[in-house]
Amino acid sequence: MTSSETSSVLDLAPVVPVVVVEEAADAVPLARALVAGGLPAIEVTLRTPAALDAIRAIAAEVPDAVVGAGTVISPANVTDAVTAGARFLVSPGWTETLLGAMRESGVPFLPGVSTTSEVVALLEHGVREMKFFPAEAAGGTAYLKSLAGPLPQARFCPTGGVSPANAPAYLALKNVGCVGGSWMLPADAVTAKDWARVETLAREAAALRAQGRTRS
């Protein structure tokens, strides 16, 4: 999967924007702004009627973007998202049925976990890269730090309550590859189609890994 010749979503950028697209026409300029700011991996959540059209548009018109689908909760979501052009899948949680569908899709996926048992179960299935959700509510950096000792083979993308203030602390953890969030897409900027502001916020988000390294 490129922007980067890597098969891991966790290694594309320090932050994966979690995007809720209300108007499909916004998808391409929004994606271009995020990519220009250094955030090529873009998770479009399947929460709105415009989501699949947004994925199609980004896949077709923004070649430097690696567009994925989030809030994937059923095999039908998997099929629809991949057909639309999604290059990775993200779920808030997982079941055996959903995990099977994501595995069969042929694209990278991040199943969601919030407990140690869920992590162990995924490791049994050979899955080592996961979404940690809802990150802050489920224990935050302290919880993930505790998992690193007994389960060092698991890597995470924490999402849910992650912000510019706490993202560096997450990114400083050895078992965190990236974080997910939507702060670089404030509603007023999207409504005003202020893509320059989105690009600026994306650039600031892309620099957060360096801040995390200073803490480690």
Side-chain angles (χ1 to χ4, degrees):
M1 99 182 278
T2 54
S3 179
S4 60
E5 309 290 329
T6 178
S7 60
S8 173
V9 180
L10 300 185
D11 296 326
L12 287 171
V15 179
V16 175
V18 179
V19 181
V20 180
V21 178
E22 300 289 349
E23 298 181 25
D26 289 340
V28 167
L30 183 154
R32 286 175 176 158
L34 292 172
V35 170
L39 301 181
I42 301 170
E43 175 190 335
V44 177
T45 65
L46 301 182
R47 301 181 196 173
T48 69
L52 291 173
D53 285 338
I55 291 171
R56 289 189 193 95
I58 295 170
E61 299 182 46
V62 191
D64 290 333
V66 179
V67 63
T71 322
V72 173
I73 58 173
S74 70
N77 285 162
V78 171
T79 299
D80 290 345
V82 174
T83 300
R87 296 168 62 186
F88 65 91
L89 305 170
V90 184
S91 69
W94 66 280
T95 64
E96 296 286 343
T97 299
L98 180 58
L99 183 65
M102 290 193 293
R103 192 190 295 276
E104 291 171 8
S105 72
V107 302
F109 56 91
L110 296 175
V113 297
S114 60
T115 69
T116 306
S117 294
E118 291 169 331
V119 176
V120 171
L122 283 177
L123 291 173
E124 285 186 352
H125 283 284
V127 177
R128 295 188 175 191
E129 298 188 343
M130 312 165 195
K131 171 178 178 173
F132 180 57
F133 176 84
E136 282 292 284
T141 56
Y143 194 96
L144 287 174
K145 190 178 295 184
S146 297
L147 291 181
L151 302 171
Q153 61 272 59
R155 295 179 72 214
F156 301 95
C157 174
T159 305
V162 180
S163 69
N166 61 21
Y170 279 103
L171 292 167
L173 300 177
K174 293 180 180 179
N175 57 351
V176 169
C178 64
V179 299
S182 57
W183 69 85
M184 71 297 299
L185 296 160
D188 58 340
V190 175
T191 298
K193 306 188 188 307
D194 187 352
W195 309 125
R197 182 179 170 202
V198 170
E199 180 180 339
T200 296
L201 292 171
R203 186 170 290 107
E204 292 171 356
L208 289 173
R209 188 183 302 283
Q211 296 180 34
R213 288 193 183 117
T214 64
R215 301 188 182 201
S216 59

